[in-house]
Amino acid sequence: MEPINIAEYEELAAERLAPVAWDYYRSGSDDERTLHANRDAFERIKLRPRVLVDVSRIALGTTVLGIDLPTPLLIAPTAYHGLAHPEGECETARGASAAGSLMVASTMSNRSLEEVADAATCPLWFQLYVYRDRQVTEDLVRRAETAGYRALVLTVDTARLGRRERDIRNGFGLPPHLHMGNFEGAAREQPGQEPGLSGLAVYANALLDSSLTWEALDWLRSITALPIVVKGILTAEDARLAVEHGARGIIVSNHGGRQLESGMATIEALPEVVAAAHGGAEIYLDGGIRRGTDALKALSLGARAVLLGRPILWGLAVAGQQGVAHVLALLNAELEMAMALVGSPSVAALGPELVRLPV
Ligand SMILES: Cc1cc2nc3c(=O)[nH]c(=O)nc-3n(C[C@H](O)[C@H](O)[C@H](O)COP(=O)(O)O)c2cc1C
């Protein structure tokens, strides 16, 4: 039977995926407190509905960095879609295109950014990690520009890879038939499979630059005209710095609870980031969105759009592009229902008065 919500997709994905891939996708770091906090915080927020508002037509459309979209639900960058589907990220891009969404493609993909661009008809952003060898990063930027990506998403919460204990136990690495799609030659070196060691952590800690500071954002701006979105901000202080350093967008994110343990839930961090950015950058949020009402809470508290990580992987694993498109359709329908029942006929009409924060 076709799943009717994200939880059912998750259950089916757990049955379909190889156990090591399932562990990699679902895990958070350490005791997974941050992972659970994202969900718990959404559950603690209640809605304050208004009635007798004309909701006979609901408009889900929004814009992100000037791009018109029929939905505020976007696809977060996640690595290694080849573990879920033989067509990998190309299949995800087809599903995103069918649903009219926007996809953020990860640096750590199994298909190349050019292949993803060829498969997609939807707008694309490219997620960037800064490698110790800046030339590797600059090459990715040039290729993303040429392939038609519309923005760069700089991930800033990964000075080191979080300790994901299932991956350590499983010796997680890419199986031999999968590759780092964006790299050739030496940089194609890939996370190996070794028992008792996360190959991904070894790879990331060796190649990614943990000495990164705000200078990296200035550097990136100096080499490209593409707008830059900073992903992984949780505080007012960093939101102000991001705006000062020219970020056009901020994704309030804790990497789906996979990095810092005992960090804040993203929905808890959102209000201070929105206030501090003061309109100087667009604000988006990811982490724990599993229902339309979760999206509605984030949009009401000032996010312009929200991004989905794992739900997209569940859709991809269960039914390829149709699964991705169906996951987005389900959440869009839930969001539309929630907007009707809180009395908000458009995304622009959503505001903090619809939300009661826990005391
Ligand atoms: C399996 C997996 C791989 C991820 N890979 C990346 C990545 O390559 N780059 C990145 O910036 N974020 C990555 N993330 C974080 C997501 O972009 C996003 O912040 C997170 O998944 C949102 O939370 P959710 O899964 O609860 O929706 C990854 C997350 C998961 C679950």
Side-chain angles (χ1 to χ4, degrees):
M1 253 193 315
E2 196 173 65
I4 58 166
N5 59 38
I6 305 309
E8 290 187 4
Y9 263 104
E10 179 169 354
E11 267 175 46
L12 279 180
E15 290 167 15
R16 302 271 170 93
L17 286 164
V20 170
W22 162 250
D23 279 350
Y24 168 66
Y25 284 163
R26 70 156 298 279
S27 285
S29 49
D30 296 15
D31 290 318
E32 305 190 328
R33 290 199 184 102
T34 315
L35 176 72
H36 296 299
N38 282 343
R39 291 288 320 129
D40 292 348
F42 276 120
E43 280 167 24
R44 282 199 305 272
I45 295 175
K46 305 292 182 227
L47 294 171
R48 300 181 66 249
R50 299 299 308 276
V51 295
L52 296 178
V53 178
D54 178 357
V55 289
S56 54
R57 293 163 71 94
I58 302 278
L60 285 184
T62 189
T63 65
V64 290
L65 299 180
I67 303 170
D68 277 321
L69 291 175
T71 165
L73 306 180
L74 320 181
I75 298 189
T78 51
Y80 305 149
H81 293 196
L83 295 169
H85 193 279
E87 290 280 307
E89 292 76 12
C90 293
E91 188 73 4
T92 316
R94 290 182 197 110
S97 302
S101 184
L102 176 152
M103 173 171 166
V104 187
S106 167
T107 290
M108 307 269 188
S109 51
N110 295 127
R111 304 297 292 266
S112 71
L113 64 92
E114 290 85 2
E115 290 174 295
V116 176
D118 283 345
T121 54
C122 64
L124 294 169
W125 291 353
F126 186 70
Q127 178 268 325
L128 203 61
Y129 281 119
V130 178
Y131 281 70
R132 284 175 205 266
D133 179 350
R134 289 260 168 123
Q135 194 56 49
V136 172
T137 304
E138 188 166 346
D139 289 348
L140 288 171
V141 171
R142 296 287 164 252
R143 287 169 55 194
E145 288 171 343
T146 307
Y149 286 75
R150 314 267 287 266
L152 297 173
V153 174
L154 178 67
T155 300
V156 293
D157 58 12
T158 314
R160 296 182 189 183
L161 206 77
R163 216 180 124 80
R164 303 159 195 171
E165 295 185 350
R166 287 187 182 79
D167 292 349
I168 294 170
R169 192 58 72 215
N170 294 334
F172 176 72
L174 277 180
H177 71 283
L178 292 177
H179 302 287
M180 299 290 286
N182 281 325
F183 302 99
E184 294 296 336
R188 192 167 182 140
E189 179 189 333
Q190 64 185 56
Q193 295 173 300
E194 268 183 69
L197 204 67
S198 162
L200 181 61
V202 173
Y203 172 92
N205 295 338
L207 293 183
L208 302 184
D209 187 354
S210 59
S211 72
L212 227 54
T213 66
W214 291 98
E215 168 276 330
L217 193 46
D218 302 334
W219 170 75
L220 204 52
R221 283 181 60 221
S222 76
I223 65 161
T224 182
L226 285 176
I228 297 166
V229 175
V230 179
K231 173 172 183 279
I233 282 187
L234 293 163
T235 61
E237 296 89 319
D238 282 342
R240 274 191 286 273
L241 282 165
V243 172
E244 274 168 38
H245 287 268
R248 298 272 309 280
I250 291 174
I251 304 179
V252 176
S253 173
N254 53 27
H255 218 109
R258 293 160 78 81
Q259 287 295 110
L260 175 68
E261 171 67 317
S262 286
M264 266 182 291
T266 53
I267 193 69
E268 289 169 344
L270 179 64
E272 70 174 84
V273 171
V274 169
H278 208 65
E282 293 186 355
I283 310 297
Y284 323 112
L285 172 140
D286 73 24
I289 305 260
R290 302 292 180 269
R291 285 286 187 186
T293 44
D294 301 329
L296 182 131
K297 289 168 186 174
L299 297 167
S300 298
L301 288 170
R304 202 175 175 87
V306 297
L307 297 90
L308 310 163
R310 295 178 184 85
I312 297 298
L313 296 170
W314 309 151
L316 182 66
V318 171
Q321 55 181 299
Q322 282 85 9
V324 170
H326 190 221
V327 159
L328 286 161
L330 286 173
L331 284 169
N332 273 308
E334 288 182 7
L335 174 59
E336 207 216 12
M337 167 71 95
M339 286 167 66
L341 296 181
V342 296
S344 273
S346 70
V347 171
L350 295 168
E353 66 285 352
L354 293 171
V355 161
R356 201 191 73 203
L357 295 173
V359 275

